Amino acid sequence: MKTLTMRVDDSVYQMIKTAAEGQKRNISNFIEFATLQYLTSVQYVDNSEMTEILNDKELVQNLREGLKNLKAGNYTIV
């Protein structure tokens, strides 16, 4: 387990505190919970969206070409 120190504006702190209290969580637990919720809901596509992506043959080909170029060292992900 890691300790994380962060600075937030007073108004943001009050929103976090109110939300944590509303869920009967301490602030630390609420921030962890909210972060996980965000990361799992925003960073990944659902099954219907993935089906739509995979059915777009031109997009799939472009993604494969991009991956090939990345592996060849033509690009750097930052």
Side-chain angles (χ1 to χ4, degrees), residues 9 19 37 41 65 71:
D9 187 72
Q37 286 291 105
S41 68
E65 188 67 28
K71 287 180 178 178

Side-chain angles (χ1 to χ4, degrees), residues 18 29 37 53 71 75:
T18 300
N29 181 262
Q37 286 291 105
I53 290 168
K71 287 180 178 178
Y75 299 99

Side-chain angles (χ1 to χ4, degrees), residues 1-37:
M1 180 148 311
K2 300 289 183 190
T3 299
L4 182 70
T5 302
M6 56 190 271
R7 294 179 189 274
V8 296
D9 187 72
D10 290 342
S11 63
V12 173
Y13 175 81
Q14 285 304 317
M15 288 191 313
I16 294 169
K17 183 179 177 189
T18 300
E21 289 169 353
Q23 291 195 1
K24 307 251 189 280
R25 297 175 183 269
N26 63 43
I27 291 174
S28 172
N29 181 262
F30 177 78
I31 291 172
E32 180 179 9
F33 166 78
T35 302
L36 287 171
Q37 286 291 105

